[in-house]
Amino acid sequence: MSNMMSCKEICAHQAGSQQADLGWRLRLELSLHLMMCGNCRMAAKQFRLMLSTTPRRQAEAPSEAQIKHWMIGVARALENSKEHKSN
């Protein structure tokens, strides 16, 4: 087997895909690392908790009215920022 995976690689695999999607060798390396590294075990547990509690829904595209409202808010914020800088 190759060198042990780094914590950074473990986090990338945890965030990027489900473990079932990985090949057997990668799953084995991941499991071995998680058995030895308490920090990565805790991070994996927190990541699973986050995924289980986050609602899964498709974001709808904003309407024209929402975009216009946001743009007005941005313009006002810029004006206020300019006024504060000049004072």
Side-chain angles (χ1 to χ4, degrees):
M1 194 178 312
S2 62
N3 293 336
M4 191 168 101
M5 294 176 75
S6 70
C7 295
K8 189 174 184 178
E9 292 170 319
I10 295 295
C11 287
H13 284 293
Q14 288 291 319
S17 64
Q18 295 297 324
Q19 195 170 355
D21 297 338
L22 305 174
W24 69 269
R25 176 171 273 178
L26 202 50
R27 281 195 317 269
L28 178 62
E29 288 184 47
L30 183 68
S31 296
L32 288 173
H33 184 100
L34 290 174
M35 283 190 323
M36 294 185 278
C37 183
N39 290 333
C40 284
R41 274 195 311 273
M42 180 60 73
K45 183 178 179 180
Q46 290 172 346
F47 187 73
R48 285 191 302 272
L49 177 65
M50 180 189 67
L51 286 178
S52 70
T53 58
T54 303
R56 291 175 182 36
R57 66 177 184 90
Q58 280 288 47
E60 296 177 12
S63 68
E64 290 295 321
Q66 287 174 316
I67 293 171
K68 186 176 180 179
H69 179 73
W70 295 334
M71 295 304 291
I72 291 169
V74 169
R76 285 182 184 154
L78 288 173
E79 286 175 17
N80 289 339
S81 175
K82 288 178 186 176
E83 287 176 8
H84 286 175
K85 286 182 181 179
S86 65
N87 290 335

